[in-house]
Amino acid sequence: LPDPSAGLALLARTGLLGEILPEVDPSTVERRGPSIGTLDPDPALRLAALLHGLDLDTARERLWALRSSNERSRQILEVLDAVGELATGAVDDAPSLRRWAARAGPQRDRARALVEAVVPDGATLATRSRELEDQLGEDLSDLAVPLSGAEVMAVLGIGEGPEVGEALAFLHARRLERGPMTAAGAEQQLRAWWSERRSGG
């Protein structure tokens, strides 16, 4: 439906909503209905708007009970997770934006739309994150580090083991904190990290 608010209000007032979404407060849905109507007619986004406010485990259980497909459930849970961080105002500089984008993945636009629709001062929060992204000029859909596990092993002269995962985690954290890195820059930082780690620093 282009605007589902009337239908949501009817479900809330008649008690039928409790049969579908028993964990959700009907008054919240009725109040939120007009805002949900401003969202694109995207089933995943609109259902995420209805479930917003529930913890992720509860939302996951409700989606399972509704027989939501695995793909749609995954999308909705990713949106809700991304909304939780953005709605707190914690996305306020380049590193926090990159960390948020890494978690939100392809759900960034859906999360921003949901924050704008249902979170107090959400338009300001979503706009701030968009402006930060524009200022960065980075492709936040690709936050990978420029070295593979095999390349890490070659640079450090080590074999397979937990150190490879630790090295990749270090590089990923640096990528999110400082921005894009070249393969040569990653190797330099990796060697410095490895030297400090081995010396016990």
Side-chain angles (χ1 to χ4, degrees), residues 63-193:
L63 290 168
W64 180 85
L66 291 172
R67 301 295 189 268
S68 176
S69 70
N70 290 338
E71 175 64 15
R72 180 164 293 174
S73 294
R74 181 189 61 76
Q75 292 173 352
I76 291 170
L77 293 170
E78 286 178 353
V79 170
L80 293 174
D81 185 45
V83 164
E85 187 173 356
L86 187 60
T88 65
V91 181
D92 58 3
D93 59 15
S96 62
L97 176 65
R98 294 189 194 100
R99 288 192 293 270
W100 175 74
R103 290 181 62 181
Q107 308 304 332
R108 293 201 312 278
D109 289 340
R110 278 175 165 155
R112 284 172 173 144
L114 182 51
V115 166
E116 285 181 313
V118 303
V119 173
D121 204 29
T124 299
L125 296 172
T127 297
R128 182 187 303 163
S129 75
R130 289 192 187 97
E131 290 174 348
L132 276 171
E133 186 167 345
D134 289 342
Q135 291 167 11
L136 280 182
E138 295 177 23
D139 179 6
L140 295 184
S141 64
D142 181 11
L143 292 165
V145 298
L147 297 180
S148 66
E151 289 168 328
V152 165
M153 288 188 285
V155 169
L156 300 182
I158 61 175
E160 295 181 2
E163 293 89 354
V164 179
E166 292 171 17
L168 288 170
F170 161 76
L171 288 176
H172 187 59
R174 280 294 179 93
R175 169 68 181 89
L176 298 182
E177 184 68 25
R178 301 183 179 183
M181 61 175 67
T182 63
E187 288 184 20
Q188 183 179 17
Q189 294 183 63
L190 187 60
R191 288 193 176 95
W193 169 80

Side-chain angles (χ1 to χ4, degrees), residues 18-42:
E19 300 296 320
I20 304 169
L21 300 173
E23 303 88 351
V24 179
D25 184 349
S27 64
T28 299
V29 171
E30 192 168 1
R31 185 175 63 253
R32 196 176 285 171
S35 297
I36 294 175
T38 68
L39 296 168
D40 289 338
D42 173 352

